[in-house]
Amino acid sequence: MKTPHRFPAAPFALAVAAVCAAAHPAAAQDHGSAPRYGYEGDEGPAHWGALSPAWAVCGIGRAQSPVKLERAAAAQAPPLRFGYQAGPLELRNNGHTVMVPIGGRGSLTVGTDHYTLQQYHFHTPAEHEVNGRRPAMELHLVHLAADLSVAAVGVLIEPGDHNPALEPLAANLPTAPGQVRRVPGSFDPASLLPAGWQRGLQSFRYTGSLTTPPCGEGVHWFVLRAPVQASEDQIARFRRVMHHNSRPLQPLYGRVPTVDPE
């Protein structure tokens, strides 16, 4: 999946810094002077690129995320191999999403590329659009490689049956910005993946960006084709906390996503 870095070095460095700060919340406190951003009004996505010189790529980048995934080209590619591990469950409300820091516990392997899981978080509604639809929610699992490449796995969440794996999170959502909830016991993020993940999961693949400032480009995206379900009540609980925290779709600018063949 690795491709030559066709993106500016500065946005890529910002992407890495953002991933690391999210995975290590103590480090994020050093960036208290960062500008505010949101999802509406003068702080909304249309203005992100003007809120800080460091975020200019949000407005001028040509490899931004999320995108429509409907005219993907079928291509053979190495399967996704998940090596996630159970561990403490700590949920953080950072004012934009509910995020669970992992800090390198667990892995994603794609061919010869090896990444460690740094954090995962949620968006309502889903950010990516698949075949003309944006599901109710999307889970993003964010990974980092030794060479500082960033890989993000998107899991689409649709209304349906109650999701037992999601319930420890839905029942313990921190409701206020800055609030942290620690859940007793351990939790395996692999339980949030679609069934059959041990055998490999088909995905849409493209090179894009972080979907929040600083919008750093060069992120390897894997949006899983198979969605998971959650009950209307579970989705509503996330929505009450996060409201609408999805960035509008971004132009592809000639990028052609690929899709794993059936």
Side-chain angles (χ1 to χ4, degrees):
M1 176 66 183
K2 294 258 181 92
T3 57
H5 290 175
R6 295 173 292 150
F7 42 88
F12 180 61
L14 288 170
V16 173
V19 169
C20 292
H24 303 281
Q29 296 174 2
D30 297 335
H31 302 280
S33 59
R36 290 166 51 92
Y37 73 91
Y39 288 89
E40 58 184 17
D42 292 342
E43 296 177 352
H47 303 281
W48 287 353
L51 294 176
S52 167
W55 297 355
V57 72
C58 296
I60 64 174
R62 296 179 68 85
Q64 291 288 294
S65 297
V67 299
K68 290 185 178 182
L69 299 168
E70 57 185 356
R71 288 190 292 272
Q76 294 291 340
L80 308 181
R81 301 299 185 195
F82 295 93
Y84 291 169
Q85 301 174 18
L89 178 58
E90 178 181 282
L91 294 88
R92 292 180 171 264
N93 184 326
N94 65 8
H96 306 295
T97 186
V98 172
M99 186 269 296
V100 178
I102 299 295
R105 186 179 68 248
S107 65
L108 169 69
T109 301
V110 188
T112 59
D113 301 331
H114 184 80
Y115 305 88
T116 55
L117 179 62
Q118 301 297 312
Q119 51 102 341
Y120 58 92
H121 60 270
F122 297 86
H123 294 271
T124 56
E127 294 203 298
H128 288 91
E129 180 180 294
V130 179
N131 296 326
R133 294 182 59 251
R134 296 181 84 166
M137 280 179 57
E138 187 169 344
L139 162 66
H140 290 168
L141 300 121
V142 186
H143 310 73
L144 196 62
D147 66 358
L148 302 185
S149 297
V150 180
V153 174
V155 181
L156 304 173
I157 303 174
E158 299 182 336
D161 294 336
H162 177 83
N163 188 325
L166 191 64
E167 187 58 23
L169 287 79
N172 292 281
L173 295 172
T175 57
Q179 188 177 41
V180 178
R181 291 275 179 88
R182 295 178 177 87
V183 182
S186 63
F187 184 83
D188 187 351
S191 66
L192 300 173
L193 297 172
W197 62 267
Q198 301 92 333
R199 300 186 299 275
L201 295 169
Q202 295 173 324
S203 64
F204 295 94
R205 308 183 185 207
Y206 76 98
T207 300
S209 72
L210 300 180
T211 64
T212 58
C215 308
E217 296 182 344
V219 176
H220 300 291
W221 273 98
F222 306 88
V223 179
L224 302 183
R225 293 183 66 179
V228 301
Q229 292 186 353
S231 70
E232 293 278 8
D233 175 67
Q234 289 176 312
I235 293 169
R237 281 183 271 171
F238 275 90
R239 189 180 295 117
R240 281 196 294 269
V241 172
M242 301 187 303
H243 309 290
H244 183 294
N245 67 337
S246 294
R247 187 186 191 191
L249 295 168
Q250 302 297 300
L252 281 166
Y253 288 121
R255 290 174 291 167
V256 179
T258 62
V259 62
D260 304 339
E262 298 286 352

